């Protein structure tokens, strides 16, 4: 049997959540069913000796506080002395083991090491990956925080070994994030990158310097110039601040004693429910300007409250500022790193669920003066990067797309469902293009921007990369908004689409990595398809554009006709109306079946409508000059 290339997976072994990912010819992807890919880093030891790992363990942690081990990562490779403060916060018992190490003491009397707990999580991920890939996975790249010392790294390797996984490399989490964005794998010059990682319970900021490979086939080297952060700062703090606000108001509503503002005064179930409410409100406010909650208080009473984004931002300001102070500290440290003269950042990467908060993004952008990378899911980016490293080591990365050129055209859907290409395939990166668009309907207050990839002329035959809305526009007549859409593919292959409506100043943007999910074979297929359909596609695109423009003509001419029609000579009016009817008929036919319409005939009909409307336009201009 030919020796199959051995698969190596990438694992993000996190404090709260863990994930496993793999690299194939379409790029890195997280393994597991949607909703099940993220495994809570929680392990419950049951009395019968069995263990429960993941979601179920997390969900029932309140019921089994001393049997459910969460945050084991905080104890990895540390002595009891190191973690004394930490231990006071954890609901389970911690004792001293061999060599002064911190161990978990279970109610059954059993003592387990943090490595054993982590091994349960790794075993779970190994099984998940083996299931998904249909082979037994034996090797993994595992990520750790950049500040982990040798003992903590060794403990992580040991956890792998206990789980039956050979940890072929330990990679720093910020380095993995950079790899996920393709930094260091292309031919780009040395890059300096800040990785801002704000999760539920921890905050890390790392400044990396990427030194590109000198020889073909070697990988770039990432040097950690500086790290800073806070091991007890994260989204959980915001949840608690919101809970305190709710409790204070509930107490006032029910006229209860002051001690009830303290969450400790409630039973664990109520506490969990309150935190759940708070987290849901927080999440909604990342997308919306306001969110409402209603909490039943019994006796037909309820606490109802709308929280606005402004209010939440006021609560979050000191919290965000603490992260920014740590960023400033990391930048100062990086500047003092050996061999460094000045730090000029090329990229800022966001990691961790809390970086979905718009205020966090804005503040990070303002501090570093760079628009951060957000194209990848901040919960998955570290695992994806671990998979890239794993793929480099297994050889799977050799099939990956080279990103020196844009492999397929990039554009947006225009009115009528056509694809307007802004950057054509084969363009070298970095590539940039800007085009102006407008609206086709009066009073539109929101414009949808649908980003597409492909060679065909119609949106329905292209690959959708995502969509976003430019909303909050003041109502304007059709055609008046001036929408500038800018596409930028940077040297790492990350596409940023920015939309800017010039009259109102409104802006919105989207970031994606177009090469993810795309293999060489798929690109070849798409190119062949587009050649096959080229003629038909061109005609259809032309007809769609004619329909859109003809509709605008009909609208304008119709409006002027209603206003000044009585001033037109009768024969002129009759001819104009006949042509209007003709074009109207062609639009209707084209919308029913574009193939039934001859594009040249349509074009000619539209031209003669334009000619027939000249007189009406002249009257309109004359009348408006007279002050009408
Ligand atoms: P992580 O530790 O990276 O999994 O991040 C988890 C944290 O991200 C939790 O505090 C979540 O509440 C927070 N989070 C996840 N999604 C959002 C969102 N859409 N808006 C605000 N916070 C979020």
């Amino acid at each position: 049997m030919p020796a199959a290339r051995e698969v190596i997976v990438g694992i993000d072994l996190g404090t709260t959540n863990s994930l496993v990912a793999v690299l194939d010819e379409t790029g890195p992807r997280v393994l597991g069913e949607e909703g099940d890919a993220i495994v809570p880093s929680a392990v419950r030891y049951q009395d019968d000796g069995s263990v429960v790992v993941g979601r179920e363990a997390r969900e029932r942690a309140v019921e089994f506080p001393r049997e459910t081990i969460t945050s084991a990562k905080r104890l990895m490779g540390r002595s009891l002395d190191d973690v004394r403060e930490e231990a006071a916060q954890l609901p389970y018992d911690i004792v001293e083991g061999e060599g002064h190490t911190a161990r978990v003491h279970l109610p059954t009397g059993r003592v387990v090491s943090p490595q054993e707990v982590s091994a349960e999580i790794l075993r779970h991920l190994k099984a998940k990956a083996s299931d998904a890939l249909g082979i037994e996975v034996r090797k993994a790249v595992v990520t750790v925080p950049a500040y982990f010392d040798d003992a903590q790294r060794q403990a992580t390797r040991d956890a792998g070994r206990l789980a039956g996984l050979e940890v072929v490399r330990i990679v720093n989490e910020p380095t993995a994030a950079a790899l996920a964005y393709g930094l260091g794998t292309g031919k780009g010059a040395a890059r300096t990158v800040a990785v801002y990682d704000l999760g539920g319970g921890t905050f890390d900021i790392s400044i990396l310097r990427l030194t590109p490979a000198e020889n073909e086939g070697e990988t770039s080297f990432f040097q950690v110039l500086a790290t800073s952060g806070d091991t007890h700062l994260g989204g959980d703090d915001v949840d608690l601040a919101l809970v305190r606000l709710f409790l204070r108001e509930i107490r006032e509503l029910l006229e209860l004693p002051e001690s009830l503002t303290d969450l400790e005064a409630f039973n664990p179930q109520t506490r969990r429910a309150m935190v759940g409410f708070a987290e849901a409100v927080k999440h909604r406010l990342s997308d919306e300007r306001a969110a409402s909650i209603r909490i039943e208080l019994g006796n037909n009473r309820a606490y109802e409250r709308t929280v606005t984004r402004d209010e939440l931002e006021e609560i979050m300001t000191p919290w965000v500022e603490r992260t920014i102070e740590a960023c400033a500290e990391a930048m100062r440290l990086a500047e003092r790193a050996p061999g460094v003269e000045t730090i000029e950042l090329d990229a800022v990467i966001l990691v961790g669920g809390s970086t979905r908060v718009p205020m966090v993004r804005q503040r990070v952008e303002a501090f570093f003066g760079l628009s951060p990378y957000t194209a990848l899911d901040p919960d998955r980016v570290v695992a994806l990067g671990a998979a890239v490293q794993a793929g480099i080591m297994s050889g799977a990365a050799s099939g990956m797309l080279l990103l020196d050129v844009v492999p397929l055209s990039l554009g947006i859907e225009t009115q009528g469902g056509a694809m307007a290409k802004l950057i054509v395939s084969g363009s070298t990166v970095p590539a940039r293009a800007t085009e102006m668009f407008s609206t086709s309907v009066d009073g539109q207050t929101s414009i949808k921007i649908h980003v597409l990839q492909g060679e065909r002329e119609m949106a329905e035959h292209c690959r959708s990369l995502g969509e976003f809305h430019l909303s909050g526009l003041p109502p304007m007549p059709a055609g008046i908004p001036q929408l500038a859409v800018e596409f930028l593919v940077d040297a790492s292959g990350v596409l940023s689409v920015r939309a800017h409506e010039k009259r109102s100043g409104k802006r919105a943007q989207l970031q994606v990595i177009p090469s993810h999910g795309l293999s060489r074979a798929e690109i070849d297929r798409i190119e062949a398809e587009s050649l096959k359909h080229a003629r038909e596609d061109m005609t259809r695109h032309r007809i769609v554009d004619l329909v859109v423009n003809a509709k605008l003509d009909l609208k304008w001419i119709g409006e002027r006709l209603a206003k000044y029609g009585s001033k037109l000579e009768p024969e002129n009016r009759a001819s104009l109306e006949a042509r209007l009817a003709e074009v109207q008929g062609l639009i209707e036919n084209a919308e029913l079946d574009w193939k039934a319409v001859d594009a040249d005939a349509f074009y000619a009909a539209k031209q003669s409508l334009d000619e027939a409307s000249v007189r009406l336009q002249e009257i309109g201009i004359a009348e408006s000059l007279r002050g009408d």
Side-chain angles (χ1 to χ4, degrees):
M1 222 167 66
R5 196 167 56 204
E6 184 152 30
V7 171
I8 308 179
V9 293
I11 292 180
D12 169 8
L13 184 61
T15 310
T16 21
N17 291 311
S18 298
L19 296 90
V20 56
V22 74
L23 184 90
D24 61 22
E25 67 279 5
T26 66
R29 68 192 159 93
V30 168
L31 295 171
E33 300 294 314
E34 197 52 43
D36 178 44
I38 295 182
V39 177
S41 305
V43 178
R44 183 170 81 239
Y45 288 86
Q46 312 205 94
D47 290 349
D48 63 3
S50 62
V51 291
V52 178
V53 177
R55 194 160 305 282
E56 204 217 311
R58 159 76 45 82
E59 274 165 10
R60 300 185 65 188
V62 186
E63 256 173 88
F64 302 100
R66 295 177 59 220
E67 291 90 341
T68 308
I69 316 307
T70 53
S71 297
K73 187 174 176 179
R74 293 182 185 274
L75 310 175
M76 293 278 274
R78 321 269 323 260
S79 72
L80 185 63
D81 268 352
D82 291 337
V83 297
R84 249 181 233 290
E85 245 175 73
E86 202 87 59
Q89 312 271 327
L90 296 170
Y92 48 85
D93 298 330
I94 296 176
V95 293
E96 186 158 62
E98 209 179 296
H100 305 292
T101 54
R103 304 222 160 174
V104 178
H105 184 252
L106 296 166
T108 53
R110 187 174 162 199
V111 173
V112 290
S113 66
Q115 289 87 317
E116 287 173 89
V117 181
S118 294
E120 295 296 349
I121 298 164
L122 290 174
R123 203 170 286 133
H124 185 89
L125 295 173
K126 177 183 178 212
K128 183 189 281 283
S130 300
D131 256 9
L133 299 172
I135 45 146
E136 197 199 340
V137 171
R138 293 198 203 90
K139 293 185 176 178
V141 166
V142 180
T143 58
V144 297
Y147 59 78
F148 255 29
D149 63 19
D150 286 345
Q152 290 167 300
R153 285 166 199 258
Q154 187 54 43
T156 306
R157 283 183 193 279
D158 293 344
R161 192 175 34 78
L162 291 173
L165 274 175
E166 183 191 341
V167 178
V168 293
R169 183 165 300 177
I170 296 274
V171 176
N172 290 323
E173 288 160 7
T175 299
L179 280 171
Y181 276 103
L183 304 181
T185 50
K187 293 183 186 151
R191 315 263 324 232
T192 311
V193 185
V195 181
Y196 177 103
D197 181 350
L198 186 59
T202 57
F203 170 62
D204 295 314
I205 171 77
S206 315
I207 314 292
L208 310 180
R209 174 151 289 176
L210 282 63
T211 312
E214 288 192 349
N215 301 307
E216 189 100 356
E218 287 177 6
T219 46
S220 310
F221 173 71
F222 297 79
Q223 186 190 356
V224 180
L225 296 181
T227 64
S228 182
D230 188 327
T231 50
H232 290 281
L233 177 69
D236 299 350
D237 301 321
V238 176
D239 305 345
L240 284 181
L242 273 177
V243 167
R244 284 200 196 96
L245 170 79
F246 298 160
L247 287 179
R248 194 176 65 233
E249 292 180 353
I250 291 175
R251 179 176 58 81
E252 281 164 12
L253 185 75
L254 299 179
E255 295 169 6
L256 294 172
E258 250 176 59
S259 64
L260 281 189
T261 50
D262 191 350
L263 200 54
E264 299 296 323
F266 292 85
N267 67 33
Q269 274 77 7
T270 312
R271 256 178 5 222
R272 230 178 92 93
M274 292 293 284
V275 173
F277 275 126
E279 194 176 17
V281 165
K282 180 183 75 174
H283 286 192
R284 246 181 296 147
L285 289 176
S286 288
D287 296 321
E288 286 154 35
R289 305 277 342 170
S292 302
I293 55 154
R294 182 186 161 87
I295 301 175
E296 296 297 335
L297 300 173
N299 294 332
N300 284 334
R301 300 190 70 170
Y303 167 69
E304 276 180 282
R305 173 76 147 92
T306 298
V307 186
T308 63
R309 189 187 285 177
D310 290 344
E311 224 176 324
L312 180 69
E313 289 188 345
E314 205 179 310
I315 294 175
M316 288 193 302
T317 299
W319 174 78
V320 177
E321 287 314 311
R322 275 171 65 197
T323 70
I324 297 298
E325 279 160 27
C327 292
E329 154 91 358
M331 288 297 278
R332 274 195 302 275
L333 288 172
E335 268 164 14
R336 277 193 253 129
V340 174
E341 276 158 26
T342 53
I343 291 284
E344 227 174 277
L345 289 179
D346 299 302
V348 177
I349 296 177
L350 297 186
V351 180
S354 298
T355 61
R356 293 200 180 91
V357 174
M359 183 196 197
V360 168
R361 294 188 171 187
Q362 286 150 15
R363 199 58 193 93
V364 171
E365 175 162 355
F367 176 79
F368 289 109
L370 276 177
S371 171
Y373 275 163
T374 54
L376 297 174
D377 180 339
D379 290 322
R380 296 172 185 234
V381 55
V382 169
L384 294 173
V388 170
Q389 179 64 52
I392 290 171
M393 299 182 73
S394 70
S398 60
M400 250 172 62
L401 293 170
L402 276 181
L403 297 169
D404 314 19
V405 295
V406 176
L408 288 174
S409 301
L410 300 165
I412 65 170
E413 179 173 346
T414 56
Q415 293 144 23
M419 144 87 147
K421 291 176 183 151
L422 275 90
I423 294 182
V424 293
S425 65
S427 307
T428 47
V429 295
R432 186 192 292 269
T434 306
E435 246 181 68
M436 297 299 299
F437 295 89
S438 194
T439 50
S440 58
V441 179
D442 285 339
Q444 235 176 293
T445 54
S446 172
I447 304 175
K448 182 174 100 175
I449 293 141
H450 185 192
V451 182
L452 301 167
Q453 177 181 48
E455 301 312 321
R456 302 283 301 273
E457 295 294 325
M458 300 305 294
E460 64 182 278
H461 298 133
C462 291
R463 186 169 174 238
S464 172
L465 293 180
E467 58 180 54
F468 64 105
H469 289 86
L470 188 67
S471 39
L473 300 175
M476 288 182 259
I480 295 300
Q482 294 184 353
L483 181 67
V485 176
E486 183 199 51
F487 272 49
L488 169 68
V489 181
D490 72 11
S492 309
V494 178
L495 166 66
S496 301
V497 180
R498 292 200 180 85
H500 175 200
E501 200 291 300
K502 297 201 162 166
R503 291 182 192 271
S504 60
K506 292 279 177 203
R507 290 170 191 274
Q509 65 159 324
L510 175 81
Q511 230 187 50
V512 278
I513 302 186
S515 64
H516 276 189
L518 207 58
S519 65
R520 186 72 249 171
E522 179 70 356
I523 292 172
D524 293 345
R525 190 192 62 76
I526 289 171
E527 280 169 354
E529 282 271 295
S530 87
L531 287 178
K532 192 168 126 201
H533 295 281
R535 181 181 288 273
E536 184 185 312
D537 273 5
M538 290 298 287
T539 311
R540 182 161 174 199
H541 194 155
R542 193 166 162 224
I543 289 176
V544 163
D545 285 349
L546 279 168
V547 167
V548 169
N549 288 324
K551 277 187 176 170
L552 282 177
D553 284 357
L554 287 193
K555 180 170 170 287
W556 287 339
I557 295 169
E559 279 165 11
R560 287 205 180 89
L561 196 59
K563 219 163 167 187
Y564 311 117
S566 58
K567 300 200 163 61
L568 267 184
E569 298 76 13
E571 66 277 19
N572 201 321
R573 180 170 185 149
S575 140
L576 183 60
E577 281 174 346
R579 292 194 158 94
L580 279 172
E582 187 190 3
V583 170
Q584 178 67 44
L586 283 165
I587 292 175
E588 282 164 17
N589 288 345
E591 285 187 331
L592 275 177
D593 177 11
W594 66 271
K595 285 186 185 144
V597 177
D598 179 76
D600 291 333
F602 196 158
Y603 179 76
K606 193 176 157 308
Q607 284 293 93
S608 63
L609 171 65
D610 290 345
E611 279 156 28
S613 68
V614 170
R615 181 76 196 113
L616 181 67
Q617 287 190 35
E618 284 168 0
I619 295 173
I621 292 167
E623 293 291 321
S624 55
L625 283 178
R626 259 197 263 144
D628 178 21

